[in-house]
Amino acid sequence: MTKIIDKDSFKATWNYEEAPESTDHIHIKQQYELYIDGQFTKPTKGKYFDTINPANNKKIARVAEATEDDIDKAVEAARKAFNSWSKLSGKERGKYIFRIARLIQERAREFAVIESLDGGKPIRESRDIDIPLAANHFFYYAGWADKLEYAFPNRKAKPLGVAGQIIPWNFPLLMAAWKLAPALATGNTVVLKPAETTPLTALKLAEIIHESGIPKGVVNIVTGAGETGAAIVNHPDIDKIAFTGSTGVGKYIRKATAGTKKKLTLELGGKGANIIFEDAAIDQAVEGIVNAIFFNQGHVCCAGSRLFVQESVEKVVVQKLKDRMESLILGDPLDKNTDIGAINSKKQLKTIENYIKIGINEGGEIYQPNCTLPKSGNWCAPTLFLNVSQSHRIVQEEIFGPVLAIQTFRTIDEVIEKANNTPFGLSAGVWTDKGSKIFHLTQKLNAGVIWANTFNKFDATSPFGGYKESGFGREGGLHGLKPYVKFE
Ligand code: NAI
Ligand code: MG
């Protein structure tokens, strides 16, 4: 087979200068408190934890740990605020939400840098994807606040009450926006908990929310780890729980809320199938594969972590993919050239490394490009596994890292069967020249989101969510309003 890119000459000709984003313009405090009832409040038990920069494992700030007493206070504040917030006109509520959206835009650079510092994602992604999309979500739902009668014609939509929202570390600000915007637009009040490894942008958001002048108690932001989350889940005066995170914790929450008045939406794990047919535009598909699995270091619930290539084009696709991987830049998340940043935490790095071992032990053929990993911090080279089958653990289980399992197929029916053979049902991608094939597959694939000739595209107006062990309920779009209302 002919070489598609001469790797050596590519590396010899192209030398990227460092292009680090400046941190001069950002302000991070040494210590952050809880945001309860419109005030930054010290935690009752006086406990704090460190949030670190995963690119060098240095401490960035100390963050308050909320315990049951603090959750009690936050829920009480949210309950009290609900009385008046739910009675405000949609137009008034919308004003505050629009204000939050604009304040995020104004401080977009600051948010992007803090997101990359605290979580390890490339600045290019936080700058171009996370932060603008977070602002979009607030703009979009601000628009719905006074139009609920059009969202639900001939029905009177009422807010549920106090919503407890627990979010993960892979898209910290964006997930906060996904949760807060529809809840506020529909007249609910909120207690939100960011993940323990990435609390900083939610705390910055608390400052902006404060600045927006929204009545006190409408939004409460509490920090802490699993126990803090569980205290929200088990609080008796919460009407709705919205959770994004691991399937394991999702199962726990479902059990904990069974038999209570709490409404529940769960956005959990995934093992998305990315399907390349022989008639696809191969170069674009290769870019799509890279984006599907290496975006955000593969810390993406809807990542295309299972690749299915039609047998006739396997050789060319895999060769082009390997060549493309040689040119991916791994390193400093704050460098604008960086494609692959740091793994979010030591714990997550261990999980990923363990799966790589499992893959090798089960007989998979591993491929990693030549790339030097920085000395300090948490790093994982982009990784392919060939020669794997449906029964391999790395094909069945969510790895949540830059690790792709590659399989081949011959017929459409075969790939549908293989793609659906997973406990998850969150996302899929189809690459083909034929519209009819796309429509056929979108009918047959059991996934909440299916992309055609693209991958990992998000939009505030478009619903997102899963089937099976990927959870239930939708976020985004008109559908995203529904989990926050009841009808009389
Ligand atoms: P996790 O599910 O423990 O963390 C998500 C959020 O849940 C965090 O805010 C955490 O503090 C909170 N939490 C943890 N235990 C809780 C409990 N008992 N009650 C209420 N809230 C609780 O995820 P973790 O352990 O950080 O990651 C493990 C795996 O989960 C990853 O390897 C990945 O496969 C998956 N994951 C999936 C995500 C997704 O977007 N679908 C996001 C994060 C993790
Ligand atoms: Mg951190």
Side-chain angles (χ1 to χ4, degrees):
M1 219 187 120
T2 52
K3 245 189 181 173
I4 293 132
I5 303 175
D6 186 336
K7 283 181 278 187
D8 302 327
S9 81
F10 183 86
K11 283 222 156 150
T13 350
W14 290 91
N15 237 335
Y16 286 94
E17 283 296 327
E18 284 180 7
E21 172 70 57
S22 154
T23 52
D24 297 349
H25 56 95
I26 62 157
H27 180 66
I28 300 178
K29 291 187 211 153
Q30 286 188 336
Q31 182 168 307
Y32 283 90
E33 313 298 346
L34 308 169
Y35 185 62
I36 296 176
D37 205 16
Q39 280 183 345
F40 290 93
T41 322
K42 293 208 179 298
T44 323
K45 292 237 157 73
K47 283 205 241 168
Y48 291 82
F49 61 95
D50 292 345
T51 186
I52 60 136
N53 176 348
N56 57 19
N57 280 329
K58 286 194 183 136
K59 169 181 161 182
I60 308 176
R62 247 158 68 93
V63 178
E65 183 184 326
T67 50
E68 275 180 24
D69 297 338
D70 303 304
I71 303 302
D72 273 346
K73 282 191 207 158
V75 174
E76 205 181 300
R79 174 64 58 199
K80 209 164 143 218
F82 180 70
N83 289 331
S84 42
W85 178 250
S86 58
K87 290 189 193 91
L88 268 192
S89 70
K91 200 173 151 197
E92 283 304 308
R93 283 201 310 272
K95 274 190 202 168
Y96 292 108
I97 308 169
F98 273 124
R99 221 175 273 162
I100 296 168
R102 284 194 301 268
L103 286 165
I104 293 175
Q105 280 189 321
E106 274 173 25
R107 309 244 182 107
R109 254 181 87 192
E110 195 180 354
F111 269 108
V113 171
I114 297 176
E115 200 73 305
S116 286
L117 276 175
D118 202 13
K121 63 172 67 201
I123 187 75
R124 201 158 41 82
E125 293 177 8
S126 38
R127 181 195 65 194
D128 299 347
I129 297 165
D130 293 66
I131 312 305
L133 270 179
N136 274 356
H137 267 264
F138 281 107
F139 275 122
Y140 175 74
Y141 282 109
W144 273 120
D146 63 349
K147 299 176 196 69
L148 295 179
E149 58 196 300
Y150 301 102
F152 306 106
N154 302 319
R155 305 176 81 186
K156 189 132 184 62
K158 294 249 175 196
L160 299 173
V162 177
Q165 307 183 317
I166 298 163
I167 57 172
W169 41 263
N170 52 344
F171 294 92
L173 184 73
L174 184 58
M175 290 303 106
W178 279 28
K179 297 271 180 292
L180 287 170
L184 298 177
T186 45
N188 299 275
T189 56
V190 172
V191 176
L192 175 125
K193 188 193 89 62
E196 56 273 31
T197 59
T198 55
L200 292 182
T201 45
L203 291 163
K204 269 271 150 199
L205 182 65
E207 292 173 7
I208 276 185
I209 284 171
H210 192 74
E211 205 180 318
S212 78
I214 202 165
K216 65 177 187 172
V218 172
V219 178
N220 303 275
I221 295 186
V222 291
T223 40
E227 270 182 42
T228 311
I232 297 177
V233 169
N234 295 314
H235 198 288
D237 198 28
I238 283 186
D239 301 285
K240 146 125 201 140
I241 296 287
F243 172 76
T244 300
S246 60
T247 297
V249 174
K251 285 180 181 173
Y252 159 78
I253 294 178
R254 189 151 195 199
K255 281 185 201 146
T257 52
T260 72
K261 66 171 179 179
K262 290 176 191 131
K263 292 219 157 114
L264 180 63
T265 41
L266 296 174
E267 205 268 273
L268 309 176
K271 195 74 186 176
N274 200 8
I275 303 167
I276 318 289
F277 284 98
E278 60 188 3
D279 57 19
I282 298 294
D283 287 339
Q284 274 137 312
V286 169
E287 281 309 303
I289 298 166
V290 168
N291 175 37
I293 187 64
F294 302 133
F295 171 54
N296 200 25
Q297 297 72 249
H299 301 328
V300 183
C301 49
C302 54
S305 49
R306 290 181 299 152
L307 178 67
F308 294 97
V309 188
Q310 199 154 19
E311 207 176 81
S312 48
V313 289
E314 184 210 1
K315 279 215 167 75
V316 61
V317 168
V318 170
Q319 188 57 51
K320 284 191 180 215
L321 178 59
K322 287 179 174 174
D323 290 344
R324 178 68 180 89
M325 283 163 71
E326 287 289 335
S327 65
L328 290 174
I329 299 172
L330 179 147
D332 182 7
L334 286 188
D335 192 313
K336 288 166 218 145
N337 296 317
T338 295
D339 298 304
I340 300 182
I343 299 301
N344 186 270
S345 64
K346 273 197 185 129
K347 180 182 153 215
Q348 188 59 27
L349 180 59
K350 270 205 184 118
T351 305
I352 300 167
E353 286 174 344
N354 192 38
Y355 272 114
I356 292 179
K357 270 193 209 130
I358 291 171
I360 294 169
N361 290 342
E362 285 186 334
E365 177 192 327
I366 187 173
Y367 173 84
Q368 293 176 325
N370 285 319
C371 71
T372 340
L373 304 182
K375 284 200 184 66
S376 61
N378 315 324
W379 308 93
C380 179
T383 304
L384 304 181
F385 271 103
L386 295 137
N387 254 331
V388 291
S389 62
Q390 292 293 97
S391 59
H392 279 78
R393 279 185 66 191
I394 54 164
V395 171
Q396 286 296 324
E397 296 173 21
E398 184 178 49
I399 300 173
F400 226 60
V403 183
L404 179 65
I406 304 180
Q407 294 173 267
T408 59
F409 68 95
R410 289 184 182 169
T411 67
I412 291 196
D413 287 344
E414 180 192 349
V415 77
I416 291 171
E417 178 97 24
K418 283 180 166 171
N420 286 336
N421 178 11
T422 158
F424 299 108
L426 193 54
S427 72
V430 182
W431 298 79
T432 166
D433 194 22
K434 304 278 178 296
S436 55
K437 237 186 237 171
I438 291 171
F439 286 126
H440 181 66
L441 266 94
T442 47
Q443 297 292 313
K444 294 279 159 96
L445 292 175
N446 198 1
V449 184
I450 302 171
W451 287 289
N453 295 324
T454 185
F455 212 98
N456 276 336
K457 272 245 154 42
F458 305 97
D459 193 292
T461 65
S462 174
F464 182 93
Y467 294 107
K468 303 197 278 185
E469 291 196 10
S470 294
F472 49 81
R474 295 291 177 264
E475 297 183 287
L478 181 56
H479 303 66
L481 293 166
K482 239 186 176 161
Y484 289 97
V485 295
K486 59 186 175 192
F487 301 103
E488 285 182 339

